[in-house]
Amino acid sequence: MRDAVGSFVGWPSDLIFPDAETPTRPTHKAGKGISRRIESVASQKEVPGRKLKSAGKDIPTTSGTKSQIMMRLEKMVEESDIMHGAIRSIDFDEGVFGIAHFEIIAKEDMQQLFEHDELGIAVIHTYIWYMYDTLMRGTELCNRFNFIAASRINATLITKNPTSVKNDLVDRFMEAGDNTTPSLYFLPFNSGNGGHWVLVAMDLSRLIVYYLDSLSGDWSKYPSMKKTVDAAILKFRSKKNYRNRKDITWVRVECPQQNNSVDCGFFVLRFMRDIIALNRIDIPKMYFDEYKSYSRAHLDEMKDELCQFIIDQRII
């Protein structure tokens, strides 16, 4: 995987530009008219009980075949100023990550979709926004599933300042209420060394942490991550005066496995998508019977969903 994917700059969280996985991205000066900010979707009409749309007939039947919706977006990008170094700054609804958040989209981010390349943080976050807006917004699912921004909790930042990362995680827990009823916090975690993505899903009420990795191994590969997550959960419960009745239990889920070096980000997104769509707080150790493995079509479906979302939100 690209050496720089997953690298992060340890700036204050409100100044983080989560595009550091592509250090060759050009720098743009203000006032040139090339950076366009789009409106947040917070003011759009909420439709309770919305379901994820299927890509249907647009799902490619052959690996590498692009759907009509992807070709449409690709043409839009080719005809835009993004091809000449422009960027897009996107405001996220505060409900997505529990805080104000914006993302920078540039040419290389779009190419990750079009070329089925390893995913950087901008694409990861934008698909999370899509899931929140399409499946969760205005429903009780917002009380059951929460997202943690990968730009705030990752291996690089933990190495530099573990206390600050722990406190950021505690703050995210505090934003979502008392957490006395079962719910999951999704943390797409980046290794920071080669850019591998894994999913950490935390149930604070039952003190269970699910670990989903599309490559072999478990959380022992990232001891500082586990230590930080455990410390944050215990600090949160202490601040809430909850009694810690038992130790935190980590569960390695036997989830679908990738067969190449680029799919880890796609798998992490698909894990979250399936868990939310099935409305399951308890993740079976052997994963869900409905999804024992992922075909390329499962991943292409997500790309088409994201392409359609980008078009609908007029990001380009």
Side-chain angles (χ1 to χ4, degrees):
M1 299 181 76
R2 190 186 323 168
D3 290 341
V5 173
S7 298
F8 299 91
V9 180
W11 293 359
S13 59
D14 60 327
L15 297 179
I16 290 177
F17 279 68
D19 59 340
E21 74 277 5
T22 49
T24 58
R25 178 171 294 169
T27 300
H28 306 285
K29 295 181 180 179
K32 297 297 183 180
I34 59 176
S35 179
R36 182 181 68 187
R37 180 176 297 273
I38 69 169
E39 292 183 352
S40 169
V41 298
S43 62
Q44 296 182 1
K45 182 179 179 181
E46 296 183 351
V47 182
R50 277 181 284 182
K51 302 297 181 182
L52 283 169
K53 297 178 181 178
S54 171
K57 61 184 173 111
D58 281 337
I59 299 178
T61 57
T62 304
S63 177
T65 302
K66 292 181 180 179
S67 67
Q68 291 182 358
I69 192 64
M70 179 175 289
M71 290 189 291
R72 179 186 172 192
L73 179 60
E74 191 170 20
K75 187 174 187 297
M76 291 173 64
V77 172
E78 289 173 353
E79 295 175 349
S80 75
D81 55 0
I82 286 181
M83 295 300 295
H84 305 288
I87 60 174
R88 299 292 185 265
S89 179
I90 312 167
D91 289 319
F92 280 31
D93 189 311
E94 287 191 14
V96 179
F97 294 121
I99 56 172
H101 181 87
F102 72 93
E103 204 65 54
I104 299 296
I105 299 291
K107 174 183 175 181
E108 49 266 45
D109 302 308
M110 304 309 302
Q111 289 175 332
Q112 293 165 12
L113 285 179
F114 302 149
E115 300 173 9
H116 197 88
D117 201 355
E118 58 264 28
L119 296 183
I121 195 169
V123 178
I124 294 287
H125 281 174
T126 305
Y127 190 81
I128 287 174
W129 176 29
Y130 160 77
M131 288 190 290
Y132 173 84
D133 188 70
T134 305
L135 184 62
M136 296 171 54
R137 179 196 290 276
T139 76
E140 58 90 25
L141 293 176
C142 288
N143 298 321
R144 291 173 63 80
F145 301 104
N146 304 278
F147 300 106
I148 298 168
S151 55
R152 299 171 66 88
I153 316 291
N154 57 74
T156 301
L157 293 180
I158 290 174
T159 299
K160 293 180 178 180
N161 195 337
T163 300
S164 176
V165 173
K166 178 188 69 176
N167 291 336
D168 274 351
L169 196 50
V170 172
D171 289 343
R172 179 65 181 104
F173 296 156
M174 297 292 288
E175 285 289 336
D178 59 11
N179 292 287
T180 56
T181 57
S183 62
L184 283 181
Y185 286 83
F186 292 123
L187 168 61
F189 180 80
N190 191 275
S191 68
N193 181 18
H196 182 56
W197 291 98
V198 302
L199 179 63
V200 178
M202 295 160 275
D203 181 344
L204 304 186
S205 67
R206 297 186 297 170
L207 291 177
I208 297 175
V209 179
Y210 299 99
Y211 179 88
L212 294 85
D213 190 343
S214 56
L215 294 177
S216 59
D218 61 17
W219 53 84
S220 62
K221 294 188 292 185
Y222 312 113
S224 60
M225 178 272 289
K226 182 180 184 300
K227 181 178 179 182
T228 301
V229 169
D230 285 347
I233 292 174
L234 294 177
K235 182 175 180 179
F236 164 76
R237 292 182 66 86
S238 176
K239 291 183 71 170
K240 287 288 190 175
N241 295 316
Y242 296 153
R243 187 161 57 96
N244 294 317
R245 294 168 293 180
K246 59 180 180 179
D247 294 332
I248 299 170
T249 299
W250 283 67
V251 178
R252 187 190 190 284
V253 178
E254 300 294 330
C255 54
Q257 299 288 284
Q258 66 189 85
N259 58 9
N260 58 32
S261 62
V262 302
D263 276 351
C264 57
F266 291 104
F267 273 56
V268 162
L269 294 177
R270 187 77 203 198
F271 295 152
M272 290 188 284
R273 182 192 190 278
D274 292 342
I275 294 166
I276 295 170
L278 293 171
N279 196 8
R280 293 286 299 272
I281 299 300
D282 57 317
I283 306 174
K285 186 173 182 179
M286 302 306 294
Y287 205 53
F288 304 108
D289 291 337
E290 296 91 336
Y291 300 105
K292 289 298 185 183
S293 63
Y294 292 147
S295 66
R296 175 61 181 266
H298 285 107
L299 309 186
D300 288 341
E301 181 182 16
M302 295 192 305
K303 291 191 293 183
D304 286 348
E305 291 168 344
L306 186 52
C307 287
Q308 185 66 64
F309 185 69
I310 289 171
I311 292 172
D312 292 344
Q313 297 299 321
R314 300 180 181 178
I315 292 174
I316 304 303

